[in-house]
Amino acid sequence: MLLEAGPADINPWIHVPLGFSRTYFNSRINWKYDSQPHPQLQGRQLYLPRGKTLGGTSAINGMLYIRGHHSDYDDWHRQGCVGWDWQSVLPYFRKSEDQARGEDDFHGVEGPLKVSDQPYRSVLSEAFVAASEQAGIAPNPDFNGAEQAGTGYYQITARDGRRCSSATAYLKPARNRRNLVVKTGAQATGLVMDGRRAAGVRYRTSAGDGVASARREVIVSAGTLASPQLLMLSGIGPADHLRQFGIPVVHDLVGVGSNLHDHFNVYTSFRCAQPVSLNEVNNSPLRQLWAGMQYVVARKGPLAANGMLAGAFTTSDPSLDRPDLQIVFLDYSMAERTKTAVKSHPFPAFSLMPVHLRPDGRGTVRLQSANPLAQPAVQFGFLQTEYDVQALLAGIQICRKIARQPGLKDFTLDEISPGSEYGDRAGLEAFVRKTGISNSHATSTCAMGVGPQSVVDPRLKVHGIAGLRVADASIMPSVVAGNTNAPAIMIGEKAAAMILEDADRHAF
Ligand SMILES: Cc1cc2nc3c(=O)[nH]c(=O)nc-3n(C[C@H](O)[C@H](O)[C@H](O)COP(=O)(O)OP(=O)(O)OC[C@H]3O[C@@H](n4cnc5c(N)ncnc54)[C@H](O)[C@@H]3O)c2cc1C
């Protein structure tokens, strides 16, 4: 049985690649969390969209297909996550994948997750790639191949102009199986505990409360923000914290909700000398109509791509031996981005988004209430160390350098953001603290490992509890240096394999 709090994935914008600009605000299919105020971000609360539908966040994300750096997984292995080194996880990435470019040592073609090149390359994205090469970043035709560093074009989890979410890839083909029950609109409110064994799940629907009993085991896959919340509501977590809310402690596990890790980014934006950006489409009903017609008739045009066609992986300091910065090139720019709307600048412009991929800072997910329907309290650890600030400042300078190269010369007019307002180093740090946001890649709140801060073991079983696993982005010991959807799906594949192995071994 699969319990999903949100509805089925019938909203048409889910399946249109550029539709994520719509689902970003839709509270029917998006949890729309708010973080706690962050002292290190001038007291700001961050808006945290998360998918609330079949497919979860893979149904509303930006679809960039990136696995992270090979050494990220080797680091996990060195920390005690045996079986999670790069050579061990690569077969699960390949197994999940249906790569449009064909099969090779790194890519598979028989999996359900459709990975494709974007349907077109814009003049701006081509100019960006040329300019980043001129700025000293080597070309890279495949960020998920032998080498991550370099500049090039992103692949996305889509095919023929349709998003491929984890529900499209995995659930849809299995829906008619007689041994699968999918309940949508069913929010898990707690685990049924039989001593230190998970015996089932309590859930709430609009028709009332229900209980699902587990003959074998319960697998929690509610995501980095909700999985630790569900464990804590069920008495598994830091004992002192649970007692504050009157929750009987089943197992004092300090790592639950600790170690929240995420990428952090800002935007640099430049006014564009030619009307070739997506701002013109966003600002013109006529052009939107044209884009809609192109999509409906041929699954082509801007709606069939994600507006982030190209990018780069590089280092904030030449002494580093692996990328700690991702530069995402956007064919548009944002004048305003809030919880309810994104507004483009009313003129042609583009953005380069530096993302810090290896922050030191860790945060927490805690309860705000024992009410399972309340949001958890999310506190990030952004910008707490000198390195975390410095890396992003270096990222801004790299974006500026790229924008000044001959490749972008015909397009770059003045810098809109940060702009001259934030001149010196102190000014730029203020800009980062004032405008920086979560890159929506939160992980590690149910971290896998063997130490006292870990929550699950390398077979994803919750320490000290029988019949309970966690399988989602929350189990990453540290966030990988890249977008997190492909790794989350790899985790699902590996979890499935381990569940089957254990079932065979114990002959349930
Ligand atoms: C706006 C945005 C853009 C992104 N862009 C990219 C990108 O371009 N590329 C990339 O690789 N990654 C991207 N990501 C990140 C990536 O999508 C996520 O890291 C990944 O999908 C996380 O998967 P998950 O399985 O851990 O959790 P989720 O996909 O969030 O799944 C959790 C599921 O559990 C359900 N759930 C939660 N609580 C309960 C409950 N109590 N009861 C029942 N169901 C519950 C949720 O509704 C959801 O369906 C983006 C994220 C966001 C928010």
Side-chain angles (χ1 to χ4, degrees), residues 15-20 61 63 156 158 161-163 295 303-306:
H15 306 284
V16 178
L18 201 61
F20 76 101
N61 71 8
M63 291 164 296
I156 55 173
R162 302 280 290 173
R163 171 192 292 273
Y295 185 76
L303 287 171
N306 71 354

Side-chain angles (χ1 to χ4, degrees), residues 59-130:
I60 67 153
N61 71 8
M63 291 164 296
L64 295 179
Y65 184 76
I66 297 287
R67 296 172 176 176
H69 197 269
H70 303 179
S71 66
D72 296 332
Y73 301 93
D74 293 335
D75 286 350
W76 293 2
H77 180 82
R78 263 193 297 279
Q79 289 157 22
C81 299
V82 174
W84 291 84
D85 56 290
W86 172 248
Q87 283 308 327
S88 301
V89 299
L90 177 58
Y92 295 100
F93 278 115
R94 291 183 86 254
K95 180 168 187 274
S96 67
E97 187 184 13
D98 175 7
Q99 170 60 249
R101 292 181 187 172
E103 191 175 14
D104 64 20
D105 288 349
F106 296 97
H107 296 285
V109 290
E110 288 173 9
L113 183 67
K114 300 203 179 310
V115 179
S116 312
D117 291 319
Q118 305 228 33
Y120 67 93
R121 289 178 180 180
S122 65
V123 286
L124 279 176
S125 64
E126 286 177 336
F128 164 81
V129 172

Side-chain angles (χ1 to χ4, degrees), residues 1-2 35 57 77 83 89-90 142 156 166 192 236 307 319 376 420 465:
M1 173 182 277
L2 170 71
S35 78
T57 306
H77 180 82
V89 299
L90 177 58
D142 182 5
I156 55 173
S166 57
V192 179
I236 304 164
S319 66
S420 51
I465 303 287

